[in-house]
Amino acid sequence: METLLRQSRAVCPFLKKTSASTLRALSTSSSSHASGIAGGKMSNLQILARRCPIMGKAMAVQSARNGLNSVSSRIGGVSAGGVKSVTQGRSYVVPTRAANLQNSRKMEAMASSFEDVHMKAGVFDTTKGICPHGAAAMKAAKAAADLAAAAEHKPTVLSKTADGTKAKFDYEGFYYNELDKKHKDKSYRYFNNINRLAKEFPRAHMATPEEKVTVWCSNDYLGMGKNKHVLQTMHKTLDTYGAGAGGTRNISGHNQHAVGLEQTLAKLHSKQAALVFSSCYVANDATLATLGSKLPNCVILSDSMNHASMIQGIRHSGAKKMVFKHNDLVDLEMKLASLPPEVPKIIAFESVYSMCGSVGPIKEICDLADKYGAITFLDEVHAVGMYGPAGAGVAEHLDFEAHLAGKPRGTIMDRIDIITGTLGKAYGCVGGYIAGSSLLVDAIRSLAPGFIFTTSLPPAVMAGAKTAIEYQMTYSGDRRMQQIHTRQVKEELDSRDIPVIPNPSHIIPLLVGNAELAKKASDRLLDVHGIYVQAINYPTVPVGQERLRITPTPGHTAHFQEHLLEALEDVWTTLAIPRTSDWAAKGGHVGVGVPNPEKPDSIWTDEQLGLQETEKDLAQINMEEKALADMIMENIAANQNIEKELSADAMMQTGVHIAAAASFEAAKAVEISA
Ligand SMILES: Cc1ncc(COP(=O)(O)O)c(C=O)c1O
């Protein structure tokens, strides 16, 4: 572009004496009445250019050529000279004879306009193409058009090459423009090179092993990605069965690891069956797309804060979608009531909403589903491993005692029709799944392209995930410790006037309220303090609600917490980020600084965490923490001994799981005999 402009300036006195900024301004402003070379709006620069004796004629030639080109493409890719052009090789439009006749007349007229222009300019031999001054002027005209297109962020799809032939689609230009939009609205994503160290959790190194940082935003909530039982299983499986699954589930990718993992998942959720996918994004997308497209006239009612995977699944289903306000039962009921009883309905929602930490009203949604004949689709991605006596999620947690006693029938989890979860967050591996009735699972297995046509997860991953689930089913110390650390950090932040978006879960969203500031805060934490917390910007959260999302783990003990709190204090002060009291002065924002705030009850009660006897001061909690840590070590050692004596399947029959498994089997036996 710059070269072209330089060349054009050498021949054009107007371009020569006009500054680049004036040219840019002229090329971006346009008249709504004039139409340009490609038939679109003309820029003011093009309008001026038309008045120039050389440019004006060159532009006329250019538009005559455009006409020729569009004619030639319409008549099947044969150029004026009768040569089939490469770019226009494929034409699926068969021209009529009459159209051909008309076009050839048009071409004759246009060819004579070439002659006219050149005759008048004193150039008589047009057989060698356009004359030199005309070519330069045409280049200048193109530069003006390109400038205008670039300024409007449109790909120069319809522009011409220097010799006047139609240009091919500018793919790179298209990508550039799309990315430019993201830079401009500050939603462009920057990735940090973070290498989490299995032996130094929650530490990681950046590009080089010397650049150590502490990770405070991982979704490996419980540190299971480095759990020694998981790693041992994975090493063993990898050595025995190799790296990959070798195919789809249909073609050699179905194996004992898939079978074992699905059985474990079914038991975890006390469902008849489960199905594993390559991720929960795929599980949500494939399941909703399949159900929504197969159930006749299905309507999907979706919480307004649902994850992209569900939104995509609903879109792919083609089913009618009704979005209800986040966690708003009145709005949901109004929408359900507006639908005829015989219409199949799916209510799709989450237990823990990961960006704000809010929790879905699961029981109440089950009640509405029963009342209006809907089925429930619950995404427990951010809750599995984290809540409930066996780590099955919030639905399990709501009937803590019943599940602890191994009595899942009639519980809220039992009432949910489809539970989806991930193996990639609290279970530290990768993969996703659904759990539900045998018939539902078989239907999705048989119908969902997202399950059928993709390579199965590697055996080592499936075996590792199974061990992670089993470990969390028998031992709850990790998730309890995670909750205690979350409480400690939230309380300290509150006392420092650093704004936490209130919620009852394990997520700590810090309100920043500005995309640029959130990125700067994240950068300063990393560059100055060696702490990694990613900034969360639009479109993940609405504009004006940008935040830092902190996720403590059992490994974030007191000295890591002190480091984080001091670093946040510095970042908030240095960057002058609004504090809770600043938001309060404005009447509050996203629940921060609202008048008379109600402190949400956390999902884990003090009693469930073993805190009921404690004073809530830090020293006391730290003592409790130490006691819990001792318990962790004892439990891990005990598990190691058990592991030596029992097979993996027999291990499943220990602890909390004995009762759950027994009652599940009993219930299944009743169902089968009935
Ligand atoms: C609510 C929710 N559902 C589904 C997913 C997708 O899970 P996965 O990472 O297994 O693809 C995510 C991922 O972040 C999520 O937040």
Side-chain angles (χ1 to χ4, degrees):
M1 174 83 74
E2 288 304 313
T3 321
L4 202 55
L5 205 55
R6 265 200 311 278
Q7 285 170 358
S8 308
R9 278 181 165 164
V11 292
C12 175
F14 170 74
L15 287 178
K16 200 174 192 169
K17 69 173 190 210
T18 311
S19 72
S21 58
T22 308
L23 279 177
R24 186 171 290 277
L26 283 168
S27 66
T28 54
S29 55
S30 64
S31 152
S32 54
H33 302 299
S35 67
I37 288 171
K41 255 197 228 170
M42 257 193 157
S43 73
N44 286 337
L45 184 59
Q46 286 170 302
I47 293 166
L48 278 178
R50 262 207 317 206
R51 294 189 202 140
C52 163
I54 301 292
M55 280 284 262
K57 283 168 188 169
M59 286 170 80
V61 172
Q62 175 104 331
S63 49
R65 282 196 168 211
N66 285 349
L68 278 176
N69 275 323
S70 62
V71 169
S72 72
S73 69
R74 269 181 272 130
I75 60 173
V78 180
S79 72
V83 181
K84 193 158 179 122
S85 84
V86 178
T87 53
Q88 294 160 359
R90 289 187 205 175
S91 173
Y92 302 103
V93 180
V94 181
T96 61
R97 239 182 126 248
N100 267 339
L101 209 67
Q102 225 176 15
N103 288 337
S104 69
R105 288 205 185 114
K106 257 192 202 159
M107 282 196 291
E108 271 167 33
M110 282 163 187
S112 73
S113 82
F114 270 107
E115 301 266 350
D116 285 354
V117 170
H118 285 84
M119 294 278 274
K120 282 180 194 155
V123 179
F124 302 102
D125 183 5
T126 57
T127 55
K128 293 192 178 76
I130 191 108
C131 59
H133 62 269
M138 272 180 61
K139 279 183 185 172
K142 183 178 180 305
D146 286 350
L147 264 175
E152 286 173 22
H153 307 294
K154 282 190 196 133
T156 51
V157 183
L158 294 174
S159 69
K160 305 282 160 181
T161 56
D163 66 359
T165 56
K166 204 168 190 177
K168 293 172 192 159
F169 186 86
D170 180 5
Y171 295 95
E172 293 295 314
F174 176 81
Y175 309 143
Y176 175 86
N177 289 339
E178 287 300 306
L179 290 170
D180 198 42
K181 282 187 229 162
K182 296 211 73 77
H183 282 292
K184 289 225 159 72
D185 71 10
K186 306 285 176 222
S187 69
Y188 184 79
R189 286 168 197 250
Y190 297 90
F191 292 159
N192 285 309
N193 183 354
I194 301 289
N195 305 277
R196 296 187 312 121
L197 291 157
K199 293 200 172 88
E200 293 179 49
F201 181 80
R203 300 280 281 164
H205 71 72
M206 300 207 36
T208 64
E210 293 74 42
E211 294 172 84
K212 292 270 178 72
V213 294
T214 305
V215 179
W216 269 99
C217 62
S218 170
N219 284 337
D220 182 358
Y221 295 123
L222 302 177
M224 290 305 285
K226 54 94 196 166
N227 176 280
K228 69 176 171 192
H229 303 284
V230 173
L231 295 187
Q232 274 166 10
T233 304
M234 289 186 78
H235 283 301
K236 237 165 53 190
T237 316
L238 186 66
D239 288 343
T240 313
Y241 297 102
T248 63
R249 287 288 284 273
N250 195 33
I251 304 176
S252 100
H254 183 70
N255 50 43
Q256 60 182 322
H257 310 290
V259 174
L261 177 57
E262 286 170 352
Q263 280 173 353
T264 302
L265 286 164
K267 283 179 180 171
L268 172 70
H269 292 291
S270 300
K271 296 288 177 199
Q272 289 175 338
L275 192 67
V276 171
F277 294 74
S278 41
S279 72
C280 194
Y281 187 101
V282 176
N284 283 350
D285 181 13
T287 306
L288 284 171
T290 303
L291 289 179
S293 61
K294 295 287 178 187
L295 289 168
N297 304 318
C298 178
V299 178
I300 304 180
L301 296 105
S302 174
D303 187 285
S304 65
M305 281 182 47
N306 271 348
H307 187 254
S309 51
M310 284 189 265
I311 297 170
Q312 203 63 11
I314 297 168
R315 196 173 289 153
H316 286 155
S317 76
K320 181 173 174 187
K321 170 165 107 167
M322 291 176 115
V323 177
F324 60 94
K325 287 184 205 143
H326 178 52
N327 281 352
D328 189 328
L329 294 164
V330 175
D331 192 36
L332 174 60
E333 177 152 22
M334 223 170 62
K335 293 193 159 74
L336 282 166
S338 73
L339 297 166
E342 72 279 9
V343 163
K345 310 162 195 81
I346 303 170
I347 307 174
F349 64 114
E350 299 181 23
S351 56
V352 176
Y353 290 83
S354 71
M355 292 301 145
C356 58
S358 60
V359 173
I362 305 176
K363 180 193 170 295
E364 292 76 7
I365 290 182
C366 285
D367 292 345
L368 287 178
D370 287 348
K371 185 170 171 188
Y372 291 96
I375 57 169
T376 45
F377 179 103
L378 174 63
D379 175 317
E380 290 254 34
V381 160
H382 290 274
V384 289
M386 305 289 288
Y387 297 90
V394 177
E396 186 200 30
H397 202 104
L398 295 173
D399 295 292
F400 203 94
E401 297 306 325
H403 288 288
L404 205 54
K407 293 184 175 155
R409 290 291 153 243
T411 60
I412 294 166
M413 183 165 81
D414 189 40
R415 294 173 67 194
I416 298 286
D417 297 286
I418 306 164
I419 295 177
T420 77
T422 186
L423 307 170
K425 300 190 195 297
Y427 293 130
C429 299
V430 70
Y433 63 88
I434 60 166
S437 75
S438 300
L439 284 175
L440 164 93
V441 166
D442 203 15
I444 300 299
R445 187 187 72 86
S446 308
L447 299 171
F451 171 79
I452 298 170
F453 298 108
T454 187
T455 300
S456 181
L457 285 173
V461 168
M462 291 197 277
K466 180 172 178 280
T467 300
I469 298 163
E470 287 166 354
Y471 179 81
Q472 289 299 332
M473 282 168 95
T474 51
Y475 170 63
S476 65
D478 287 336
R479 54 186 168 276
R480 299 214 317 262
M481 189 70 91
Q482 195 283 337
Q483 290 289 329
I484 290 169
H485 288 172
T486 301
R487 284 183 178 204
Q488 288 170 340
V489 175
K490 279 185 180 174
E491 277 167 21
E492 277 298 311
L493 289 165
D494 276 346
S495 74
R496 289 165 191 254
D497 203 23
I498 294 178
V500 179
I501 298 174
N503 69 70
S505 73
H506 62 282
I507 312 279
I508 308 183
L510 299 185
L511 180 63
V512 178
N514 173 289
E516 224 163 343
L517 211 49
K519 165 95 175 70
K520 276 190 189 156
S522 168
D523 288 348
R524 187 169 173 85
L525 278 175
L526 193 63
D527 300 340
V528 178
H529 300 282
I531 286 177
Y532 175 50
V533 180
Q534 183 60 288
I536 311 291
N537 288 345
Y538 175 85
T540 309
V541 294
V543 172
Q545 296 186 16
E546 293 80 1
R547 61 199 68 173
L548 299 180
R549 176 181 177 271
I550 290 172
T551 48
T553 72
H556 288 100
T557 46
H559 81 274
F560 285 117
Q561 292 179 28
E562 277 156 29
H563 180 210
L564 173 77
L565 292 162
E566 275 163 28
L568 287 171
E569 193 62 65
D570 162 68
V571 168
W572 247 253
T573 304
T574 310
L575 300 177
I577 303 173
R579 293 191 179 245
T580 309
S581 50
D582 299 315
W583 292 115
K586 291 180 183 167
H589 186 40
V590 207
V592 171
V594 291
N596 311 317
E598 255 181 55
K599 205 172 171 214
D601 291 334
S602 47
I603 304 174
W604 278 91
T605 64
D606 288 4
E607 201 181 347
Q608 287 162 351
L609 288 177
L611 296 177
Q612 72 278 18
E613 304 300 333
T614 68
E615 306 254 358
K616 278 198 188 163
D617 60 66
L618 203 59
Q620 187 72 24
I621 289 175
N622 279 345
M623 270 174 56
E624 291 274 327
E625 190 179 307
K626 186 167 179 329
L628 271 172
D630 290 343
M631 215 171 73
I632 290 173
M633 299 316 294
E634 281 163 25
N635 261 341
I636 289 174
N639 273 353
Q640 273 173 331
N641 289 335
I642 291 167
E643 214 175 8
K644 277 187 198 137
E645 288 159 22
L646 302 175
S647 70
D649 268 0
M651 221 178 109
M652 288 283 296
Q653 304 305 316
T654 63
V656 179
H657 200 63
I658 299 174
S663 84
F664 176 73
E665 294 304 334
K668 217 162 73 177
V670 171
E671 270 167 21
I672 290 165
S673 63

